[in-house]
Amino acid sequence: MLSCLGIVVSKQANFFNVELLDEQQSLKDQNTITNSKPLNRFLCTARSRLKHFGDSIYVGDFVLLEEICCRNMTAVVNEVCSRKSWLKRPAVANVSNIIVVLAHKEPVFDFTQASRFLLTAENTGLSVDFLLTKMDLVSTDEMNKQLARIDSWGYRPFSVSVKTGEGLKRLKEHIFRKSLSVVFGPSGVGKSSLLNKLIPGTDLKVGTLSEKISRGKNTTRHVELFSLSSNSRVADTPGFNRPEIFVEPSKIAALFPEIRSQLKDYPCRFRNCLHLDELGCGLNKNWERYSFYRNFVQEMFSLSFPGQAS
Ligand SMILES: Nc1nc2c(ncn2[C@@H]2O[C@H](COP(=O)(O)OP(=O)(O)OP(=O)(O)O)[C@@H](O)[C@H]2O)c(=O)[nH]1
Ligand SMILES: [Mg+2]
Ligand SMILES: [Zn+2]
């Protein structure tokens, strides 16, 4: 039976939208399908033996399709290819990099929130980028200050405005070089607006901010992939305000670029040092997020040993 490779671009209950990959010449040869993008998406169910594994097909999965019906644009997922990576929340397979997105303003830039999103992203082991949106809402001075701040945390931030188009070219070039980027951040920062602008033909629903608390209204409800090219995709994701995260205390230091870069050149002489108050710890503690690091280690200890929380 003819079977074709596709990628899951969205999922709802037991249905999957699967986009056939461009190299699926076999189908085109049969004159059953044209090359135009919208005609490339098939509504699929999964073989019952796959359902046996429960929730095991994710957006981003490469799948083999059978029983392809080009008239109704339906097919059946027969097999899921092995994953290179898997992100738990939002659930996306084969992610290459996570773009942590916050706004320069509206909603207000929150240091702790930004750091928690960064830690959650770093904890996946994938490469992490940092993007600030809505640069049209701040002065050049304010923008440069914020960018320098993020730079001091060890990230080379992108800054964009969907309203004016500034910064989009550099970001687009970056995404173009990655196989699957995921935008990840609080509600209302402009993730969907950005994808609408970056990817022609995309028409995602965009929300407003709640007037009382100036937060987003959780407009995006599902993960969905969009293609920039045949090898480069971006996933829009639902925003949320506070990522829940647990990291074993001894693994926290590795999630901070400020510590990683120091330890590369001047290793702390203690093997299992938490870089808190250990006598003789060689880490320079004079950096902005160090007190956040200390508090976070404490928080993770109290999650590990709830009865002993101080
Ligand atoms: N001034 C300005 N407003 C923007 C910009 N980008 C997005 N917005 C506005 O920000 C609001 C929220 O945008 P969305 O794209 O829905 O935000 P989101 O991050 O997708 O939010 P969720 O789907 O809830 O996670 C909308 O009112 C947009 O018009 C920008 O560059 N400048
Ligand atoms: Mg959205
Ligand atoms: Zn140390």
Side-chain angles (χ1 to χ4, degrees), residues 22-256:
D22 279 354
E23 60 270 27
Q24 295 308 302
Q25 205 56 46
S26 48
L27 266 190
K28 290 175 199 160
D29 289 348
Q30 293 183 10
N31 285 335
T32 48
I33 187 167
T34 72
N35 203 11
S36 78
K37 283 272 180 237
L39 291 180
N40 224 6
R41 277 195 180 192
F42 288 76
L43 183 65
C44 302
T45 51
R47 287 259 184 261
S48 41
R49 89 183 132 70
L50 294 176
K51 281 187 205 140
H52 179 69
F53 296 105
D55 230 2
S56 65
I57 303 177
Y58 296 99
V59 171
D61 266 328
F62 290 100
V63 291
L64 289 179
L65 300 184
E66 287 187 349
E67 296 180 36
I68 299 167
C69 170
C70 294
R71 194 147 55 93
N72 298 330
M73 297 305 285
T74 57
V76 175
V77 176
N78 190 47
E79 202 177 316
V80 182
C81 306
S82 62
R83 297 182 182 113
K84 283 200 209 114
S85 65
W86 180 64
L87 198 61
K88 193 172 168 200
R89 187 184 180 205
V92 193
N94 299 313
V95 173
S96 55
N97 58 305
I98 302 177
I99 307 179
V100 171
V101 187
L102 277 99
H104 277 290
K105 207 175 174 177
E106 293 181 21
V108 65
F109 181 86
D110 177 327
F111 164 89
T112 305
Q113 187 183 49
S115 289
R116 288 185 84 89
F117 271 100
L118 282 172
L119 287 183
T120 309
E122 291 279 1
N123 199 32
T124 63
L126 296 163
S127 103
V128 178
D129 302 305
F130 198 110
L131 167 66
L132 282 162
T133 56
K134 311 196 188 186
M135 68 189 267
D136 55 289
L137 297 180
V138 289
S139 66
T140 311
D141 226 31
E142 232 176 304
M143 176 187 83
N144 286 336
K145 266 195 203 135
Q146 256 176 332
L147 294 181
R149 187 178 184 194
I150 309 297
D151 198 78
S152 78
W153 299 357
Y155 297 94
R156 307 283 88 86
F158 293 89
S159 181
V160 297
S161 166
V162 165
K163 289 266 144 73
T164 65
E166 275 174 283
L168 291 174
K169 187 166 174 275
R170 182 178 157 234
L171 178 67
K172 194 167 180 170
E173 283 166 0
H174 178 73
I175 293 175
F176 203 80
R177 287 192 293 269
K178 307 285 180 177
S179 57
L180 176 45
S181 307
V182 169
V183 291
F184 179 58
S187 177
V189 297
K191 300 179 294 300
S192 303
S193 309
L194 176 70
L195 297 201
N196 282 344
K197 188 88 176 184
L198 282 181
I199 300 173
T202 309
D203 189 19
L204 288 164
K205 194 170 164 207
V206 161
T208 50
L209 299 194
S210 96
E211 275 166 29
K212 260 200 212 144
I213 48 171
S214 175
R215 274 198 190 156
K217 291 182 172 168
N218 298 95
T219 308
T220 302
R221 298 288 176 165
H222 304 285
V223 177
E224 186 167 354
L225 294 195
F226 299 92
S227 300
L228 214 56
S229 74
S230 54
N231 307 314
S232 151
R233 295 181 176 82
V234 196
D236 190 23
T237 67
F240 51 100
N241 289 318
R242 191 175 192 274
E244 290 308 323
I245 172 171
F246 174 73
V247 190
E248 210 181 284
S250 64
K251 304 216 163 104
I252 298 172
L255 308 183
F256 283 76

